Structure formats: structure tokens, C-alpha cells
Amino acid sequence: MTPRRRRSRSCRRCWPGPPRRHRVRWKPRCATCCITWTTRWSCRSTTCAARSSPKAPPWFDDPTTFRIAIDTGEVEISPASLTALLNRYVFNYDGTPLKELTVSIEDGELKQHGTLHKGVDLPFTIRTTLAVTPDGRLRLHPTSVKVLGIGVKGLMKTFGIELENLVKVQRGRGVEIEDNDFILAPSGLLPPPRIAGRLTAVRLLPDAIAQTFGGSTREGHKEALHPSDPEARNYMFYRGRVLRFGKLTMEDADLQIVDADPDDPFDFSLAHLNQQLVAGSSRNQKDFGLVTTMPDYGDMLKKERERLALGKSAGAQARRGAASGSRAGER
């Protein structure tokens, strides 16, 4: 038997070299587009141009196979979503120094309340202003620090104590403490799919933190994209290379996902994409592109809850009818 020939990296016939990066150009265009990571946290984006840059074709069913690199756009995150994100992802590990965090917006500042574990549990409240660092991250600068309801910022300054001496954060969580400031990196703050981009501005809205991304140096990022349905108000458009979802693989991807109800934010859940696809409809285009219309994820949940409630009500009514008939028979 002839032994199998081992593949050699020096032989291009056998080993074509390292895989090319699969960049799928992505353009969400929405009055407001709500992209949900889980039922607990989500981000809203206005007109935005981004790309996914994995080493293999992105597969929507596995968010670890791609990342979203934002070229330009604005992303909003609500205090409730940021609260859930900090508690269930960023500070969810053994030995975490911060827990039971609550984020709110008051008087033009970001207010954070929680528990600091330093031998014993100490309730604290920090009020911060927001700014952008030179390298494109989010800086939270404290204007007030209270522990056990007592202001301690002046005391800390007197004794030369800074927050980074009190709070040690695990690496890789998207949060660092520099002197007394919290530094948040969008690239590490969210679970997969990771988001990368240069933050250029930030502002507080009454109900959200608005982050503006820009300054991309990627070649070709200003090239226009032309979706199949240009009249759609809320949509996400994917163009180029290979895209996978479920059992389907799209070569030279040309996919436009359109909001079935453009009068409210497009609620798109990556974790429940298949459910939204099943509830929606798709149509092929003459240029072999695909336009998919789907309902908002929140609307689907609402209908499902109504259906379950109706089923329980009908079941209870049937049981009451059966019990009434049984008593009548006994008489």
C-alpha cells in the first residue's frame, strides 16, 4: 500500500496558505434598530455602516464566528440594558468586587449604585460625567462618591486613595479603572458577537447613552451599498463574501432584512433569528439577492404570551364546565 502523502506548507497544491479574512459589509439603516443580544440587554442604532470580519465565513447561529466592526454610526444603550450587562456579564465572575449594580440617568449625569465587596459588603453610589478618551474608549469620571451613604471623595483625595486601589477588575471584561475613572471599551464590554469601532463622541439622553462611532481608516469603507429594496425604512443589509444561517449558505452575500412594522424600532434578536425568519417571509430578487421581511422580536413575544394566556383561560373554563357537569350528574 502506498503511504498517504503528507501535506506540506511548502507545496501550494496541497496547502493553499492561510485562510482569507471573510469581510461581509453590513449596513443597518433604521429610524431606530434594536439589536438584542439576549432578552436582558440590547442596543439601538441609527444609520450605521459596519462590517463583520471573521477568519471563517460568519454563521449567524454562532456569534463567536464573527465580530461587528463599526465604521460610522450611532449606538444607544439604555440604563436598564447597561445594568443587566454589568451584572450578568462584565462583573459576573468569582471574586468580583462589584455586584448588585443599578445604572440610571439623573441631572445630566450617570448614576451607579451597587455593592462593593472589600472584606465586607459596602453599599456605594457614584455619579459620573462621560467623555471619550483619545484612543476611542468611554471615560466615566466621578463627581460624587458615597459609601454607606456618606460622601468619601474628599476623604479619598486627602489620604491619596483612588478607586483603582479599592476596585480590582478582572482583565478582558471591557472595563479598566485608571486613577478614579472607569474606562469602558466597546470592543470588550459586550458578549459575542464582539463590537469594534472608534468612539468619537458620547452624550446622555433622558433614557439612554448615545455613542457616536467614526474615524474608520479601513480601505473602501466609504463605498456606497445599494440594497435591493431602497424604499424600506428600517432594514439591515449584508453584502459580500459568504454568509451562513441555519442550514443555508449564501455566496457573494446579498441579503436585506426588512422590518415588517417600520413605525416603531426594528427589534432584531440574533439569538432568536430563526424564529423571526419562520414568522416572516422571503422573496428572491432578479439579481439573485434575497429580501426577508420579519416581525419585531418583542411583538412575537407579546403574541406568544397572549396565546399562552388564552390557552390557560380556555383550559380553566373547560375544567370549570366539567366540574359543573359532574355536580349536576350527582344531583
Side-chain angles (χ1 to χ4, degrees), residues 20-40:
R20 297 171 63 191
R21 295 180 68 81
H22 292 260
R23 291 185 174 90
V24 178
R25 300 173 68 200
W26 174 48
K27 178 185 179 182
R29 180 191 173 191
C30 315
T32 305
C33 179
C34 179
I35 303 174
T36 304
W37 269 252
T38 74
T39 55
R40 294 187 176 90

Side-chain angles (χ1 to χ4, degrees), residues 92-141:
N92 185 19
Y93 58 89
D94 291 337
T96 179
L98 303 177
K99 58 184 180 180
E100 299 172 357
L101 296 168
T102 303
V103 178
S104 59
I105 298 173
E106 292 185 9
D107 301 324
E109 293 183 329
L110 197 66
K111 181 180 177 181
Q112 302 157 80
H113 179 77
T115 301
L116 169 65
H117 183 75
K118 201 68 178 176
V120 294
D121 288 345
L122 302 170
F124 72 90
T125 301
I126 299 178
R127 300 178 70 95
T128 62
T129 57
L130 277 62
V132 177
T133 65
D135 61 352
R137 293 182 295 169
L138 181 62
R139 180 184 296 275
L140 277 59
H141 178 69

Side-chain angles (χ1 to χ4, degrees), residues 48-283:
C48 173
R51 71 188 191 279
S52 59
S53 303
K55 293 182 178 180
W59 186 31
F60 274 6
D61 300 75
D62 182 0
T64 64
T65 62
F66 64 97
R67 67 185 179 94
I68 300 172
I70 302 176
D71 291 327
T72 60
E74 185 169 282
V75 176
E76 298 174 9
I77 185 168
S78 69
S81 286
L82 184 55
T83 294
L85 185 64
L86 293 174
N87 285 314
R88 297 184 175 272
Y89 182 72
V90 177
F91 291 108
N92 185 19
Y93 58 89
D94 291 337
T96 179
L98 303 177
K99 58 184 180 180
E100 299 172 357
L101 296 168
T102 303
V103 178
S104 59
I105 298 173
E106 292 185 9
D107 301 324
E109 293 183 329
L110 197 66
K111 181 180 177 181
Q112 302 157 80
H113 179 77
T115 301
L116 169 65
H117 183 75
K118 201 68 178 176
V120 294
D121 288 345
L122 302 170
F124 72 90
T125 301
I126 299 178
R127 300 178 70 95
T128 62
T129 57
L130 277 62
V132 177
T133 65
D135 61 352
R137 293 182 295 169
L138 181 62
R139 180 184 296 275
L140 277 59
H141 178 69
T143 59
S144 170
V145 180
K146 292 184 178 181
V147 177
L148 295 171
I150 303 171
V152 297
K153 187 179 179 185
L155 191 65
M156 291 170 61
K157 184 176 181 180
T158 300
F159 287 95
I161 301 173
E162 296 178 335
L163 280 176
E164 66 177 338
N165 303 130
L166 300 175
V167 182
K168 302 297 182 183
V169 181
Q170 189 179 81
R171 286 179 172 271
R173 295 281 167 168
V175 177
E176 296 179 15
I177 298 180
E178 185 179 283
D179 298 331
N180 283 324
D181 295 350
F182 287 86
I183 309 296
L184 277 59
S187 59
L189 198 60
L190 289 168
R194 297 289 192 181
I195 284 184
R198 186 179 183 83
L199 194 63
T200 58
V202 63
R203 69 186 192 280
L204 281 179
L205 304 177
D207 61 348
I209 303 167
Q211 305 166 83
T212 302
F213 289 84
S216 174
T217 58
R218 182 181 64 86
E219 183 180 353
H221 79 274
K222 293 183 179 180
E223 295 176 10
L225 292 175
H226 305 284
S228 300
D229 184 0
E231 301 300 322
R233 288 168 52 191
N234 291 359
Y235 65 82
M236 289 183 290
F237 182 52
Y238 301 84
R239 188 72 178 92
R241 298 297 177 89
V242 180
L243 193 64
R244 299 182 299 163
F245 47 96
K247 296 180 180 180
L248 302 178
T249 299
M250 179 178 280
E251 300 278 351
D252 189 23
D254 188 341
L255 171 66
Q256 185 177 6
I257 301 177
V258 180
D259 184 5
D261 182 8
D263 292 331
D264 61 4
F266 184 12
D267 188 355
F268 174 78
S269 174
L270 189 61
H272 301 89
L273 171 62
N274 192 60
Q275 293 171 248
Q276 288 183 271
L277 287 171
V278 170
S281 60
S282 298
R283 62 184 189 275

